[in-house]
Amino acid sequence: MRPTKFIPIMVLIAMLSFSCSSEDFPSETIDSMSLPVPPAAKNIEIEILELINAHRINVGLEALNNHETIKAVAYTHTGYMVEVNNVSHDNFYQRKNSLMDNTNASKVSENVAYAYSSAQSVVNAWLNSEGHKHNIEGDYTDFDISAEQNAEGKWYFTNIFIKR
């Protein structure tokens, strides 16, 4: 087969492998009392946060602060994606409203990804996508991430940004 026949399939796989969201949705929220306590930060999560802040500083932006509530909200979504075996922004409006209510956020966005095996690879993918890069370089003050593996060892990522 000619390599050009594989291009549409490769584009589809790339589009399904990661996504970003900053859409407005109805005003449902996640109760902060029902948020689980996320596990201690994993090395891959720390590396992703460091790489994002290094990129922001390199382009003249302020570094973002980690935030425990963002981590908890991201953790719930990553667990959901692992459970349903699908990378998505399902229920983004609930996460957004929860963060607006519980952190006084005025703006919320997120990047999600699946199946990247290193911090550098997922950050590179996000930086090579206009929408994801826009979130990384956006006017935010705080962020955090959750990375969880499914039963096959594939990573799922939820990276949430807020402005307070």
Side-chain angles (χ1 to χ4, degrees), residues 5-18:
K5 289 186 177 186
F6 292 110
I7 291 175
I9 294 170
M10 292 171 46
V11 168
L12 179 62
I13 290 170
M15 289 175 61
L16 294 174
S17 293
F18 55 89

Side-chain angles (χ1 to χ4, degrees), residues 17-18 44 47-48 51-52 112-129 132 136 155 157:
S17 293
F18 55 89
I44 195 167
E47 290 173 28
I48 290 168
L51 287 167
I52 288 172
V112 296
Y114 166 72
Y116 291 92
S117 59
S118 71
Q120 190 69 62
S121 65
V122 72
V123 172
N124 285 346
W126 283 333
L127 290 174
N128 286 317
S129 164
H132 298 95
I136 289 171
W155 287 100
F157 305 90

Side-chain angles (χ1 to χ4, degrees), residues 1 9 15-16 20 22 25 31 39 47 49 59-60 66-67 89 91 106-107 114 134-135 139-140 147 150-151 154 157:
M1 277 190 174
I9 294 170
M15 289 175 61
L16 294 174
C20 63
S22 58
F25 289 97
D31 180 8
E47 290 173 28
L49 297 175
V59 297
N66 299 39
H67 196 287
H89 292 289
N91 306 310
S106 62
K107 182 177 172 184
Y114 166 72
H134 178 76
N135 286 344
D139 182 23
Y140 299 105
N150 67 9
K154 300 281 186 182
F157 305 90

Side-chain angles (χ1 to χ4, degrees), residues 51-103:
L51 287 167
I52 288 172
N53 269 339
H55 173 79
R56 286 179 60 87
I57 290 166
N58 191 49
V59 297
L61 300 169
E62 294 288 323
L64 301 174
N65 301 303
N66 299 39
H67 196 287
E68 189 172 312
T69 303
I70 299 170
K71 172 79 169 173
V73 171
Y75 178 70
T76 63
H77 184 60
T78 305
Y80 165 80
M81 291 191 301
V82 169
E83 183 180 323
V84 300
N85 196 33
N86 185 43
V87 65
S88 72
H89 292 289
D90 291 356
N91 306 310
F92 173 73
Y93 63 91
Q94 291 175 335
R95 290 186 296 286
K96 176 183 176 184
N97 290 329
S98 177
L99 289 165
M100 293 177 90
D101 291 346
N102 295 300
T103 66

